[in-house]
Amino acid sequence: MSIQDKKSYILQELKKAGCRITSQRKILLDVILRDECCSCKEIYYQAIKEDPDIGMATVYRMVKTLEETGLIHRKNMYRIDLDGATA
């Protein structure tokens, strides 16, 4: 599935969930699909290059909406491995 197909599918699912599709949400979706960002802060820094008016709260809300609709799954990027540690 191409990035454009993924974007179309996600936008369609967001509409079904009753979400408004704004230009800022489209930019955030483009950033998420295009770049491998491991945090909302990284998404934010990429997005403000395209629209300096996007706020950090908008990024968090979009990621939360995508998670709640099952369209994105955040993996644990930080993990402490204590296997074999001695106390």
Side-chain angles (χ1 to χ4, degrees), residues 17-53:
C19 297
R20 290 184 320 123
I21 306 303
T22 64
S23 61
Q24 289 186 340
R25 284 188 173 179
K26 287 180 182 179
I27 289 170
L28 292 173
L29 191 52
D30 286 337
V31 168
I32 292 167
L33 289 169
R34 178 180 64 228
D35 301 320
E36 285 194 23
C37 298
C38 65
S39 69
C40 288
K41 194 174 275 191
E42 284 185 44
I43 295 169
Y44 170 74
Y45 288 131
Q46 293 298 319
I48 61 172
K49 292 177 184 176
E50 296 179 42
D51 182 351
D53 293 330

Tab-separated table of all heavy atoms in Angstrom, residues 17-53:
chain	number	residue	atom	x	y	z
A	17	ALA	N	-15.055	8.169	12.244
A	17	ALA	CA	-15.027	8.334	13.697
A	17	ALA	C	-15.537	9.706	14.130
A	17	ALA	O	-15.562	10.017	15.315
A	17	ALA	CB	-13.608	8.116	14.215
A	18	GLY	N	-15.933	10.531	13.163
A	18	GLY	CA	-16.496	11.843	13.476
A	18	GLY	C	-15.471	12.944	13.636
A	18	GLY	O	-15.790	14.019	14.153
A	19	CYS	N	-14.242	12.716	13.196
A	19	CYS	CA	-13.188	13.734	13.313
A	19	CYS	C	-13.227	14.692	12.124
A	19	CYS	O	-13.461	14.276	10.993
A	19	CYS	CB	-11.816	13.065	13.361
A	19	CYS	SG	-11.572	12.005	14.776
A	20	ARG	N	-12.979	15.945	12.419
A	20	ARG	CA	-12.824	16.919	11.339
A	20	ARG	C	-11.453	16.725	10.717
A	20	ARG	O	-10.485	16.425	11.406
A	20	ARG	CB	-12.916	18.357	11.876
A	20	ARG	CG	-14.301	18.736	12.317
A	20	ARG	CD	-14.407	20.192	12.769
A	20	ARG	NE	-13.261	20.650	13.542
A	20	ARG	CZ	-12.512	21.714	13.211
A	20	ARG	NH1	-12.787	22.429	12.158
A	20	ARG	NH2	-11.501	22.068	13.971
A	21	ILE	N	-11.391	16.906	9.425
A	21	ILE	CA	-10.118	16.768	8.723
A	21	ILE	C	-9.623	18.175	8.399
A	21	ILE	O	-10.113	18.823	7.490
A	21	ILE	CB	-10.274	15.931	7.428
A	21	ILE	CG1	-10.922	14.580	7.736
A	21	ILE	CG2	-8.932	15.777	6.755
A	21	ILE	CD1	-10.185	13.732	8.763
A	22	THR	N	-8.657	18.630	9.187
A	22	THR	CA	-8.113	19.977	9.017
A	22	THR	C	-6.786	19.901	8.264
A	22	THR	O	-6.183	18.837	8.140
A	22	THR	CB	-7.865	20.630	10.388
A	22	THR	OG1	-6.851	19.885	11.080
A	22	THR	CG2	-9.143	20.679	11.220
A	23	SER	N	-6.344	21.043	7.789
A	23	SER	CA	-5.054	21.078	7.086
A	23	SER	C	-3.920	20.684	8.036
A	23	SER	O	-2.974	20.013	7.632
A	23	SER	CB	-4.797	22.461	6.492
A	23	SER	OG	-4.759	23.442	7.504
A	24	GLN	N	-4.020	21.065	9.304
A	24	GLN	CA	-2.979	20.698	10.262
A	24	GLN	C	-2.960	19.194	10.507
A	24	GLN	O	-1.902	18.598	10.610
A	24	GLN	CB	-3.160	21.462	11.573
A	24	GLN	CG	-2.822	22.927	11.434
A	24	GLN	CD	-2.848	23.672	12.746
A	24	GLN	OE1	-3.457	23.238	13.717
A	24	GLN	NE2	-2.181	24.819	12.784
A	25	ARG	N	-4.125	18.585	10.578
A	25	ARG	CA	-4.165	17.131	10.747
A	25	ARG	C	-3.570	16.426	9.536
A	25	ARG	O	-2.891	15.407	9.674
A	25	ARG	CB	-5.595	16.658	10.979
A	25	ARG	CG	-6.067	16.945	12.387
A	25	ARG	CD	-7.395	16.320	12.668
A	25	ARG	NE	-7.696	16.500	14.084
A	25	ARG	CZ	-8.792	16.092	14.664
A	25	ARG	NH1	-9.717	15.479	13.964
A	25	ARG	NH2	-8.985	16.288	15.944
A	26	LYS	N	-3.814	16.964	8.352
A	26	LYS	CA	-3.231	16.372	7.141
A	26	LYS	C	-1.709	16.483	7.161
A	26	LYS	O	-1.008	15.549	6.788
A	26	LYS	CB	-3.793	17.049	5.891
A	26	LYS	CG	-5.228	16.671	5.598
A	26	LYS	CD	-5.719	17.377	4.353
A	26	LYS	CE	-7.160	17.062	4.067
A	26	LYS	NZ	-7.661	17.766	2.881
A	27	ILE	N	-1.195	17.613	7.608
A	27	ILE	CA	0.256	17.796	7.715
A	27	ILE	C	0.835	16.799	8.710
A	27	ILE	O	1.846	16.145	8.435
A	27	ILE	CB	0.605	19.249	8.122
A	27	ILE	CG1	0.309	20.201	6.964
A	27	ILE	CG2	2.074	19.359	8.560
A	27	ILE	CD1	0.387	21.672	7.334
A	28	LEU	N	0.204	16.666	9.863
A	28	LEU	CA	0.686	15.729	10.870
A	28	LEU	C	0.665	14.297	10.342
A	28	LEU	O	1.609	13.534	10.559
A	28	LEU	CB	-0.142	15.842	12.145
A	28	LEU	CG	0.024	17.155	12.906
A	28	LEU	CD1	-0.974	17.239	14.051
A	28	LEU	CD2	1.440	17.311	13.410
A	29	LEU	N	-0.381	13.961	9.625
A	29	LEU	CA	-0.471	12.622	9.042
A	29	LEU	C	0.642	12.403	8.020
A	29	LEU	O	1.274	11.349	7.991
A	29	LEU	CB	-1.846	12.438	8.410
A	29	LEU	CG	-2.231	11.044	7.987
A	29	LEU	CD1	-2.046	10.054	9.119
A	29	LEU	CD2	-3.653	11.028	7.477
A	30	ASP	N	0.917	13.424	7.210
A	30	ASP	CA	2.016	13.329	6.242
A	30	ASP	C	3.344	13.084	6.950
A	30	ASP	O	4.142	12.251	6.520
A	30	ASP	CB	2.116	14.602	5.401
A	30	ASP	CG	1.012	14.728	4.362
A	30	ASP	OD1	0.430	13.688	3.984
A	30	ASP	OD2	0.743	15.863	3.933
A	31	VAL	N	3.585	13.818	8.026
A	31	VAL	CA	4.842	13.669	8.776
A	31	VAL	C	4.942	12.262	9.350
A	31	VAL	O	5.988	11.607	9.245
A	31	VAL	CB	4.942	14.727	9.907
A	31	VAL	CG1	6.080	14.402	10.860
A	31	VAL	CG2	5.119	16.115	9.316
A	32	ILE	N	3.867	11.779	9.950
A	32	ILE	CA	3.878	10.448	10.555
A	32	ILE	C	4.123	9.375	9.503
A	32	ILE	O	4.883	8.434	9.729
A	32	ILE	CB	2.561	10.193	11.320
A	32	ILE	CG1	2.483	11.113	12.537
A	32	ILE	CG2	2.449	8.728	11.728
A	32	ILE	CD1	1.119	11.172	13.192
A	33	LEU	N	3.496	9.508	8.348
A	33	LEU	CA	3.657	8.510	7.291
A	33	LEU	C	5.020	8.595	6.609
A	33	LEU	O	5.572	7.592	6.173
A	33	LEU	CB	2.552	8.666	6.243
A	33	LEU	CG	1.157	8.241	6.693
A	33	LEU	CD1	0.117	8.683	5.677
A	33	LEU	CD2	1.093	6.743	6.923
A	34	ARG	N	5.571	9.788	6.531
A	34	ARG	CA	6.816	10.012	5.796
A	34	ARG	C	8.058	9.724	6.628
A	34	ARG	O	9.027	9.159	6.151
A	34	ARG	CB	6.827	11.466	5.312
A	34	ARG	CG	8.059	11.896	4.569
A	34	ARG	CD	7.977	13.340	4.127
A	34	ARG	NE	7.912	14.230	5.286
A	34	ARG	CZ	7.037	15.219	5.418
A	34	ARG	NH1	6.156	15.464	4.494
A	34	ARG	NH2	7.048	15.991	6.487
A	35	ASP	N	8.049	10.147	7.868
A	35	ASP	CA	9.226	10.078	8.719
A	35	ASP	C	9.032	9.053	9.827
A	35	ASP	O	7.920	8.860	10.298
A	35	ASP	CB	9.520	11.445	9.355
A	35	ASP	CG	9.752	12.526	8.313
A	35	ASP	OD1	10.396	12.230	7.303
A	35	ASP	OD2	9.278	13.648	8.525
A	36	GLU	N	10.104	8.453	10.247
A	36	GLU	CA	10.051	7.561	11.397
A	36	GLU	C	10.294	8.393	12.645
A	36	GLU	O	11.430	8.635	13.026
A	36	GLU	CB	11.086	6.448	11.272
A	36	GLU	CG	10.697	5.406	10.273
A	36	GLU	CD	11.542	4.154	10.398
A	36	GLU	OE1	12.112	3.906	11.476
A	36	GLU	OE2	11.621	3.445	9.401
A	37	CYS	N	9.223	8.831	13.244
A	37	CYS	CA	9.306	9.635	14.455
A	37	CYS	C	8.980	8.745	15.636
A	37	CYS	O	8.017	7.996	15.603
A	37	CYS	CB	8.322	10.796	14.397
A	37	CYS	SG	8.629	11.944	13.038
A	38	CYS	N	9.780	8.833	16.670
A	38	CYS	CA	9.532	7.984	17.829
A	38	CYS	C	8.910	8.753	18.983
A	38	CYS	O	8.702	8.191	20.052
A	38	CYS	CB	10.808	7.282	18.276
A	38	CYS	SG	12.077	8.382	18.872
A	39	SER	N	8.582	10.024	18.762
A	39	SER	CA	7.941	10.794	19.827
A	39	SER	C	7.102	11.911	19.216
A	39	SER	O	7.291	12.301	18.066
A	39	SER	CB	8.987	11.408	20.760
A	39	SER	OG	9.704	12.433	20.096
A	40	CYS	N	6.181	12.405	20.027
A	40	CYS	CA	5.351	13.526	19.583
A	40	CYS	C	6.214	14.763	19.325
A	40	CYS	O	5.922	15.543	18.430
A	40	CYS	CB	4.275	13.830	20.622
A	40	CYS	SG	2.973	12.588	20.683
A	41	LYS	N	7.262	14.902	20.099
A	41	LYS	CA	8.151	16.047	19.932
A	41	LYS	C	8.814	16.026	18.544
A	41	LYS	O	8.923	17.050	17.883
A	41	LYS	CB	9.209	16.070	21.031
A	41	LYS	CG	9.941	17.389	21.135
A	41	LYS	CD	10.874	17.398	22.329
A	41	LYS	CE	10.079	17.795	23.546
A	41	LYS	NZ	10.929	18.085	24.714
A	42	GLU	N	9.239	14.845	18.102
A	42	GLU	CA	9.832	14.727	16.766
A	42	GLU	C	8.807	15.055	15.686
A	42	GLU	O	9.134	15.727	14.702
A	42	GLU	CB	10.377	13.318	16.550
A	42	GLU	CG	11.674	13.057	17.268
A	42	GLU	CD	12.226	11.692	16.927
A	42	GLU	OE1	12.222	11.317	15.743
A	42	GLU	OE2	12.661	10.999	17.861
A	43	ILE	N	7.582	14.569	15.854
A	43	ILE	CA	6.515	14.883	14.899
A	43	ILE	C	6.312	16.392	14.862
A	43	ILE	O	6.213	16.995	13.790
A	43	ILE	CB	5.205	14.163	15.287
A	43	ILE	CG1	5.381	12.654	15.175
A	43	ILE	CG2	4.050	14.646	14.410
A	43	ILE	CD1	4.250	11.846	15.792
A	44	TYR	N	6.270	17.005	16.030
A	44	TYR	CA	6.077	18.454	16.146
A	44	TYR	C	7.164	19.229	15.388
A	44	TYR	O	6.868	20.116	14.593
A	44	TYR	CB	6.053	18.863	17.613
A	44	TYR	CG	6.107	20.344	17.853
A	44	TYR	CD1	4.994	21.134	17.601
A	44	TYR	CD2	7.265	20.945	18.321
A	44	TYR	CE1	5.047	22.503	17.815
A	44	TYR	CE2	7.322	22.307	18.540
A	44	TYR	CZ	6.214	23.081	18.285
A	44	TYR	OH	6.263	24.442	18.487
A	45	TYR	N	8.436	18.849	15.608
A	45	TYR	CA	9.531	19.572	14.956
A	45	TYR	C	9.486	19.444	13.439
A	45	TYR	O	9.850	20.383	12.724
A	45	TYR	CB	10.888	19.113	15.499
A	45	TYR	CG	11.153	19.604	16.905
A	45	TYR	CD1	11.594	18.739	17.894
A	45	TYR	CD2	10.957	20.938	17.247
A	45	TYR	CE1	11.836	19.183	19.188
A	45	TYR	CE2	11.191	21.382	18.535
A	45	TYR	CZ	11.631	20.512	19.498
A	45	TYR	OH	11.858	20.963	20.771
A	46	GLN	N	9.046	18.296	12.944
A	46	GLN	CA	8.908	18.131	11.494
A	46	GLN	C	7.720	18.938	10.968
A	46	GLN	O	7.791	19.563	9.919
A	46	GLN	CB	8.737	16.648	11.137
A	46	GLN	CG	9.955	15.809	11.409
A	46	GLN	CD	11.161	16.247	10.599
A	46	GLN	OE1	11.049	16.578	9.425
A	46	GLN	NE2	12.307	16.273	11.234
A	47	ALA	N	6.616	18.916	11.720
A	47	ALA	CA	5.385	19.574	11.268
A	47	ALA	C	5.507	21.092	11.221
A	47	ALA	O	4.982	21.730	10.301
A	47	ALA	CB	4.221	19.165	12.169
A	48	ILE	N	6.210	21.683	12.186
A	48	ILE	CA	6.289	23.154	12.200
A	48	ILE	C	7.124	23.686	11.039
A	48	ILE	O	7.052	24.870	10.734
A	48	ILE	CB	6.790	23.719	13.550
A	48	ILE	CG1	8.192	23.234	13.879
A	48	ILE	CG2	5.802	23.413	14.648
A	48	ILE	CD1	8.816	23.906	15.097
A	49	LYS	N	7.874	22.822	10.385
A	49	LYS	CA	8.581	23.245	9.173
A	49	LYS	C	7.596	23.548	8.065
A	49	LYS	O	7.851	24.390	7.200
A	49	LYS	CB	9.555	22.160	8.709
A	49	LYS	CG	10.727	21.936	9.643
A	49	LYS	CD	11.591	20.798	9.153
A	49	LYS	CE	12.720	20.497	10.124
A	49	LYS	NZ	13.512	19.326	9.707
A	50	GLU	N	6.445	22.864	8.089
A	50	GLU	CA	5.424	23.065	7.071
A	50	GLU	C	4.358	24.063	7.502
A	50	GLU	O	3.784	24.758	6.671
A	50	GLU	CB	4.771	21.728	6.725
A	50	GLU	CG	5.761	20.767	6.091
A	50	GLU	CD	5.121	19.428	5.755
A	50	GLU	OE1	3.980	19.433	5.251
A	50	GLU	OE2	5.775	18.407	6.001
A	51	ASP	N	4.073	24.104	8.810
A	51	ASP	CA	3.080	25.047	9.342
A	51	ASP	C	3.509	25.461	10.744
A	51	ASP	O	3.288	24.732	11.704
A	51	ASP	CB	1.694	24.409	9.376
A	51	ASP	CG	0.615	25.365	9.868
A	51	ASP	OD1	0.947	26.478	10.353
A	51	ASP	OD2	-0.574	25.006	9.779
A	52	PRO	N	4.132	26.643	10.861
A	52	PRO	CA	4.627	27.087	12.168
A	52	PRO	C	3.530	27.324	13.204
A	52	PRO	O	3.817	27.486	14.390
A	52	PRO	CB	5.362	28.391	11.865
A	52	PRO	CG	5.321	28.600	10.405
A	52	PRO	CD	4.451	27.561	9.792
A	53	ASP	N	2.269	27.315	12.773
A	53	ASP	CA	1.171	27.542	13.708
A	53	ASP	C	0.695	26.269	14.402
A	53	ASP	O	-0.157	26.327	15.292
A	53	ASP	CB	-0.017	28.187	12.982
A	53	ASP	CG	0.309	29.602	12.514
A	53	ASP	OD1	1.117	30.274	13.176
A	53	ASP	OD2	-0.241	30.029	11.485
